Amino acid sequence: MSKAFGIINFAGNHITVDGLHEYRPIGAFSFLGRYRVIDFPISNMSNSGIDQIQVYIRRKPRSLIEHLGTGRHYNINSKRGKLIPLFSETNAENNIYNTDISAYVENLDYIEEATYPYVVIAPSYMVYSADFSTLLQTHIESGADITMLYHSVDNAKEEFLNCDILNLNKQKGVLSIEHNKGSAKNRNIFMDTYIMSKDLFLDLIKKARKLSSTYTLSQVVNYECEELDIRGVAHHGYFAAITDFKSYFDANLSLLNLKTAMGLFNSDWPIYTRTNDSCPTQYFETANVKNSYVSNGCLIEGTVENSVIGRGCVIKKDAVVKNSILLPGTSIDKDVHVENFVIDKYAKIVHTSEVVASPEKPGYIRRHDTI
Amino acid sequence: MKQNNMLAMILAGGRGTRLHDLTTKVAKPAVSYGGKYRIIDFPLSNCANSGIDNVGVLTQYESILLNSYVAAGRRWGLDAKDSGVYVLPPREKADANLDVYRGTADAITQNIDFVDSFSPEYILILSGDHIYKMNYAKMLAYHNECKADATIAVIEVPIKEASRFGIMNTDETGRIVEFEEKPAEPKSNLASMGIYIFNWKLLRKMLIADAKDENSNHDFGKDIIPQLLNDGKNLFAYKFKGYWKDVGTIDSLWEANMDLLDKNNELDLNDPTWKIYTEDVTALAHYVGPQATVNRAFVTQGCIIEGEVKNSVLFTGAKIAEGAKVIDSVIMPGAEVAEGATVTRALVSDNVKIGKGAVVGSADSEHIELVAKNVKGAE
């Protein structure tokens, strides 16, 4: 049993993923065929022995709530453990007041009532595996006030532009948190993951409210950098931040490299998800599939290359799907050519033969659309 | 949700001797089928989908895995209030010695107290080792419509093969007039599927009488059904149309898996209105590598295919390495085929490893080769 409870945070106001985001929060995005993005932070917590997990939801809760259910599939103790969805009641789309801090303020009772001395806060829009129990141990032993997880990258000029970065001193002390403006290649991308005591967390929430009604948690932590002992811990392995459409597209396809995938999945760190009880996938005589992930329940007669195919998709004869992501339940009819596209749930591509975009600017077909 | 006053009892004690090494450690109902299922998922899912809330599973042979598997009733959604899956191995009772189940009827007789605790009006007797999808609620409706004392589900089989089955001879109303076990000269092609609905009060009486009969085999087909007919009771045949398979041998288990490769196959596991539920395993969507070819195959999550797969069924977590060939075969959960190995017309058992360059099975064999032990790579 962990000494910490968990908080899964939502994406801030500055983050929008064109298309997909209109229908659901990023945590509920389909990922690598059978997962949702939020499965990763919740599984990390569950595998780390964290039994009580609060999931904060800002907007469009339906698909996320349906996926989370009772939380049983996350292997959390079904009596002592709890997966609690909490809402920020203002529920406004891009309201600058609708911050993580206001969601915590509205649900302050639940945070105060948690009987754990520490809290682990992780984002619902980032994909990585991390053992929070060792991280918590490190945090306690270091005596730091706050421990923050970061990932060092060498492509911060082009990627991670919607993320924050940590400026660290030589001892890994956090000097400041700022937005990644793409001005340097080598950056420590902040993984929006914090460990601190519950009491300090409560103090920060109250302090943020006093400082500014629009302050977020990262802003108040930045404000406190000089006062508090805040330390960074480097994360190794696979890391993706789903902070715009391109990053969602690239994160899925990057895992087609099995070696890369091994940095995210390993047998003693299972990633849990909700089962849909689909039967296995059926490949027909004419199927031609290469370098792809295929979920259960699909019927495949056509060609699939470098793609991620969600549950229950139909790919007809002579159809070609390349460098694309098909969300669950989509169907691609005969002779249709799909390339560099994300096809949202239940969409049908029937009457058109070319659905092609460039890899730099992948295209998107909306949910339930028939083209 | 209380839907009908019927309790189901699944007979799952059989060993399945003709499945050889597949059943040395697990009972036949727990044998894997169709990529992600176990055979007993079929009757259990049928019960769940038919609105039957309580299911007893009678186990006996090598039952550790089977007992723990079926006890988790929530896999099939059978875990609401007043709902459950109950594992019933033979047990010692206050007024009787511990005794194995001596026959299918005896298995129920030894659990009369269990059945009584639900005070059901009807009891549904099922076999744990058949693959089919059936709505038992419709069968119960037919039972009531006929005002039957017992209803037996039957399926039409080719008359040539009828002598392998228990055959029901019926009159024009569907009433059973005669039952013949494996008749040399069958008069009808209606084979019993081993699925019975009884009015519990009547069956209870019959079972108590049967238990005292020293000449009885305590078997539904051999003793109870003939006795009911002798007593002039109303027995009706309920005609089932659709896929039904008793996978008694390695060849027929292989065949039942191969049936899934046909387009629009009769079993249709993809039917969203009648899903078959099973254990939820933690695994990625399956991965097909850059060099792989996959044609006519049934593949489930957790598989990694980097070689060639043709006319085959791959179970959870099967791994086919680069340059390996799997043709006309069934690869059970966790089995691995290493680089350059060839598997043809074979059934590779759970977690078996086929070494580099090894050759298993052959295209012109009469029977399917069962591979139950690791095969060393070719030097």
Side-chain angles (χ1 to χ4, degrees), chain A residues 34-35 72 256 258 270-271 275-276 278-285 287 289-294 296-297 301, chain B residues 34 36-37 74 79 260-263 270 275 280 282-283 285-290 292 295-301:
Chain A
R34 85 174 286 247
Y35 298 107
R72 232 175 179 177
L256 287 172
L258 269 193
I271 304 300
T275 181
N276 191 57
S278 301
C279 76
T281 274
Q282 193 167 8
Y283 289 82
F284 296 98
E285 202 79 56
V289 178
K290 303 248 189 277
N291 201 38
S292 296
Y293 285 100
V294 183
N296 275 3
E301 295 176 85
Chain B
K36 64 182 287 197
Y37 308 98
R74 76 172 138 113
D79 64 338
L260 296 168
L261 300 177
D262 295 334
K263 205 168 185 173
N270 220 345
K275 282 187 182 180
D280 174 27
T282 303
H286 69 261
Y287 173 75
V288 182
N295 304 102
R296 259 181 75 82
F298 205 56
V299 183
T300 195
Q301 58 201 29

Side-chain angles (χ1 to χ4, degrees), chain B residues 51-74:
Chain B
I52 294 169
D53 297 328
N54 288 293
V55 183
V57 181
L58 300 138
T59 64
Q60 182 154 290
Y61 173 77
E62 272 299 340
S63 53
I64 295 178
L65 189 146
L66 183 60
N67 289 356
S68 64
Y69 185 72
V70 301
R74 76 172 138 113

